[in-house]
Amino acid sequence: MLIYRVSRVLNLAHGELMMLAAYILISLTTLLGSHPVGALAGAVALSLLVGLVLYVVLMRRMTGELVIAAVLVTIALGILLRGVMVLGWTGRTYHPMQQLGWENKAIALGGGMTASTVALATVGMAVLLYCGLFAFFQFTQWGVRMRAVGENPLLASQRGIALHATYALAWALATLTGGLAGILIALDSGLDTTMAVVGLKAFPAALVGGLGSLRGAVVGSMIVAAAEVLAIHYIDPLVSDVVPFVVLIVMLLIRPWGLFGTEEEIERV
Amino acid sequence: MNAAAPLLRLEQVEVVYQKVITAVHGVSLEVPAGQIVVLLGANGAGKTTTLRAVTGFLGSDDARVTDGKIWFEAHAIENCPPHTVAARGIALVPERRKVFETLTVLENLQAAVPSGIRGRAARRERIDQVFDQFPRLAPARGRLAGYLSGGERQMLAMGSALIGAPRLLLVDEMSLGLAPRIVEELLERLVALKKALGLTVLLVEQSAHLALEVADYGYIMESGRVVLDGTAERLRGHGDVQEFYLGMGGGPDRRSYRDVKQYRRSRRWFG
Ligand SMILES: Nc1ncnc2c1ncn2[C@@H]1O[C@H](COP(=O)(O)OP(=O)(O)OP(=O)(O)O)[C@@H](O)[C@H]1O
Ligand SMILES: [Mg+2]
């Protein structure tokens, strides 16, 4: 979503990039077994680096090319990454939480509800990230520049904003936040090659909310999550992976630009 | 023509779109430091393309300077990316889409402050200077630029271009869709900046009236070529310019300058 907002390129390798961060954590844990915090920080930092490197070696050439071509490149990247990850880390399921020697305690929330520590941490992290990104886009020089590039790259570059630097920053931020999400999910529910589906579910959430809108992403993911939980409860747990996409299709029929998107954004894609 | 070395010099510049459409055929022109130069011409003459050749194209424009040289002082800048040209001190006020419509007035100015200016206070100062220059923008600072009137938009675009303290300002069709009063006001502002800061300006215009009043020198383009140039005074007095660009004399059918030249030439041969 971040990348889309700045460069209008839908990054369809997002799920794979999330997974990559989690796998990196696994490897770092085995390498520096005695420093769980170091392993976590290293994995987060490396996922940021991955974004930068990907932009510089792969997506940089796509700047100024057709958006659809760049989107296709991200699909190819996703397939490639998945292959590499299966080869590198095999398809077996990992439990990084155990490897780190931590326990995922269930915490009572009252009213008979419980939540795992990691799940709570995930929610906390999401809130933190949301506020952080919001402040970044709203109040910092680079954030305003990124929004300017997102609206009109030509004018932005005529105003002296270096497009490559801005896009690289967007990729780094996106893989950083995605990587964090991937790590947290792996900590909570283990890691195997199906995790990319979770990343894929982010697209219905983003599309329902309106692409490129931070507020939209939050509301969209709540709607999608609520629909999923209701479906698990009242229909069948097996349908849960399908529900987000059903919501997406319904939404696209009613209001194709999403809740918070603008009509004109649709035309550009 | 001018003794001083020009700030900007185009030598036989040729611009090709999509590898086949030649929009500018060997244009040469000079903009001396501290002067206002105007580039006149009818629709599709290649004025915008000439300015864009100076400020640089993006990959998505699918355009290139295929021949000739563009000198900004001692630097050859043809086919440089726009942000490096901007960093050299050339700012453009484009013809269309001249402000970031989804950003507020204040954010438009923030985005345009050069990265070389560090510190919140220093950036603030630059922005306040623009509000001093264009007082009408100050009360609208929190409004989205997409909701501004045409005149306010033009002011914001000029303010955003001037905030980087450029040495050369390129303005494309400032008068488009604006009341003559506002155009006059903006032109006066440019003359004042030229006198106070030694700002050099290259103006592109269709309506020659006001532009020739403030300009020192003028070029006239037709079909991608410069067909006439001279001091503003000389152009104002030139019969053909009066006829075709100042709307004096001449019939209701304003044919192109070149057609008429052709016609006169043939009359000379046969008549
Ligand atoms: N992106 C483009 N791709 C192909 N051809 C183009 C492109 N932009 C402009 N042209 C062509 O180049 C020629 C010159 O256009 P240009 O915009 O420079 O004219 P202009 O003098 O600025 O006209 P106006 O007064 O209408 O703004 C026109 O024939 C136009 O069709
Ligand atoms: Mg034009």
Side-chain angles (χ1 to χ4, degrees):
Chain A
M1 192 209 83
L2 245 157
I3 294 171
Y4 173 79
R5 176 163 184 163
V6 177
S7 65
R8 307 269 147 207
V9 172
L10 215 46
N11 175 17
L12 291 175
H14 199 64
E16 282 79 6
L17 286 168
M18 277 169 65
M19 222 157 78
L20 181 64
Y23 277 123
I24 290 176
L25 174 68
I26 301 281
S27 295
L28 283 181
T29 321
T30 19
L31 276 178
L32 340 147
S34 51
H35 301 286
V37 178
L40 272 178
V44 171
L46 272 177
S47 63
L48 190 143
L49 202 66
V50 165
L52 271 180
V53 169
L54 276 181
Y55 177 75
V56 171
V57 302
L58 200 62
M59 303 312 292
R60 191 182 152 93
R61 295 194 200 142
M62 308 304 297
T63 302
E65 295 296 321
L66 280 178
V67 167
I68 188 71
V71 174
L72 289 176
V73 169
T74 68
I75 296 181
L77 172 69
I79 295 170
L80 184 78
L81 279 178
R82 209 184 288 208
V84 167
M85 284 185 287
V86 170
L87 283 179
W89 284 279
T90 71
R92 78 182 180 86
T93 309
Y94 291 89
H95 293 282
M97 203 65 185
Q98 289 163 11
Q99 288 188 338
L100 286 169
W102 287 343
E103 214 180 323
N104 195 4
K105 276 202 212 89
I107 295 173
L109 292 178
M113 289 194 291
T114 59
S116 64
T117 322
V118 174
L120 286 181
T122 307
V123 172
M125 187 59 84
V127 171
L128 210 70
L129 273 181
Y130 174 78
C131 295
L133 283 178
F134 181 82
F136 172 75
F137 276 122
Q138 214 58 34
F139 304 118
T140 70
Q141 178 81 6
W142 272 106
V144 174
R145 281 196 196 132
M146 277 173 108
R147 279 156 62 208
V149 170
E151 183 193 318
N152 188 344
L154 174 62
L155 182 60
S157 119
Q158 285 165 347
R159 292 268 183 270
I161 302 173
L163 296 184
H164 285 310
T166 318
Y167 290 141
L169 184 61
W171 271 82
L173 273 178
T175 50
L176 171 73
T177 50
L180 263 176
I183 288 170
L184 285 165
I185 293 169
L187 285 178
D188 195 31
S189 40
L191 168 65
D192 59 29
T193 43
T194 58
M195 190 170 131
V197 177
V198 179
L200 218 50
K201 278 186 197 167
F203 288 102
L207 279 163
V208 166
L211 271 176
S213 153
L214 213 52
R215 226 177 344 151
V218 172
V219 178
S221 48
M222 282 179 181
I223 293 175
V224 169
E228 203 175 323
V229 171
L230 288 176
I232 292 174
H233 201 78
Y234 291 107
I235 310 175
D236 189 324
L238 283 177
V239 302
S240 79
D241 281 346
V242 188
V243 168
F245 299 95
V246 174
V247 174
L248 172 63
I249 288 167
V250 172
M251 191 66 198
L252 287 179
L253 289 177
I254 312 172
R255 202 180 144 90
W257 52 94
L259 286 174
F260 291 91
T262 46
E263 264 176 83
E264 148 250 9
E265 262 173 73
I266 277 293
E267 288 159 22
R268 291 209 207 125
V269 185
Chain B
M1 190 186 83
N2 216 286
L7 188 61
L8 178 75
R9 194 167 83 237
L10 275 68
E11 283 173 7
Q12 296 294 319
V13 169
E14 183 181 86
V15 182
V16 177
Y17 282 112
Q18 291 148 29
K19 300 196 172 64
V20 286
I21 308 164
T22 310
V24 168
H25 306 261
V27 161
S28 300
L29 57 83
E30 294 190 353
V31 184
Q35 293 202 0
I36 297 181
V37 172
V38 62
L39 187 57
L40 299 167
N43 284 115
K47 309 179 297 293
T48 298
T49 308
T50 305
L51 283 196
R52 290 292 319 280
V54 175
T55 57
F57 299 104
L58 289 184
S60 48
D61 290 319
D62 203 2
R64 267 192 84 73
V65 175
T66 48
D67 200 8
K69 281 278 183 197
I70 302 177
W71 298 98
F72 183 61
E73 297 189 304
H75 307 284
I77 56 167
E78 67 275 359
N79 293 320
C80 283
H83 72 271
T84 59
V85 174
R88 288 211 185 282
I90 301 180
L92 170 74
V93 179
E95 187 174 15
R96 277 163 296 155
R97 301 194 64 199
K98 55 187 82 180
V99 296
F100 299 109
E101 303 194 347
T102 55
L103 269 55
T104 65
V105 169
L106 186 60
E107 286 168 344
N108 262 275
L109 295 174
Q110 281 169 345
V113 176
S115 11
I117 295 178
R118 308 235 168 250
R120 221 157 244 280
R123 290 200 289 262
R124 201 57 269 162
E125 197 186 351
R126 284 295 184 98
I127 292 171
D128 286 338
Q129 278 172 8
V130 173
F131 286 137
D132 287 344
Q133 270 167 13
F134 301 95
R136 251 185 275 179
L137 289 179
R141 62 176 69 207
R143 270 168 54 202
L144 283 186
Y147 298 138
L148 293 181
S149 76
E152 291 163 338
R153 231 174 245 241
Q154 188 66 50
M155 287 177 198
L156 177 57
M158 300 220 337
S160 308
L162 289 170
I163 206 166
R167 304 185 37 224
L168 173 65
L169 182 69
L170 313 174
V171 189
D172 199 352
E173 306 244 352
M174 180 163 74
S175 60
L176 202 70
L178 295 187
R181 274 261 314 279
I182 297 197
V183 178
E184 241 169 280
E185 192 187 315
L186 290 171
L187 285 175
E188 271 165 27
R189 189 76 30 94
L190 284 183
V191 174
L193 284 169
K194 168 188 133 171
K195 287 194 179 128
L197 309 172
L199 181 69
T200 310
V201 184
L202 176 56
L203 278 178
V204 159
E205 277 296 334
Q206 288 210 35
S207 57
H209 259 301
L210 292 169
L212 280 178
E213 301 260 308
V214 299
D216 300 292
Y217 202 87
Y219 291 84
I220 295 181
M221 280 186 84
E222 281 276 350
S223 320
R225 291 183 172 85
V226 170
V227 291
L228 186 67
D229 69 301
T231 60
E233 255 168 278
R234 208 189 120 223
L235 289 181
R236 273 199 300 268
H238 197 283
D240 294 334
V241 179
Q242 287 186 345
E243 186 172 342
F244 297 107
Y245 295 98
L246 296 175
M248 297 173 352
D253 58 327
R254 288 180 25 172
R255 283 160 305 175
S256 97
Y257 178 72
R258 260 182 53 205
D259 291 349
V260 172
K261 272 283 188 204
Q262 214 86 41
Y263 167 72
R264 289 219 181 119
R265 224 176 287 141
S266 52
R267 207 169 46 175
R268 226 177 294 139
W269 289 133
F270 303 110

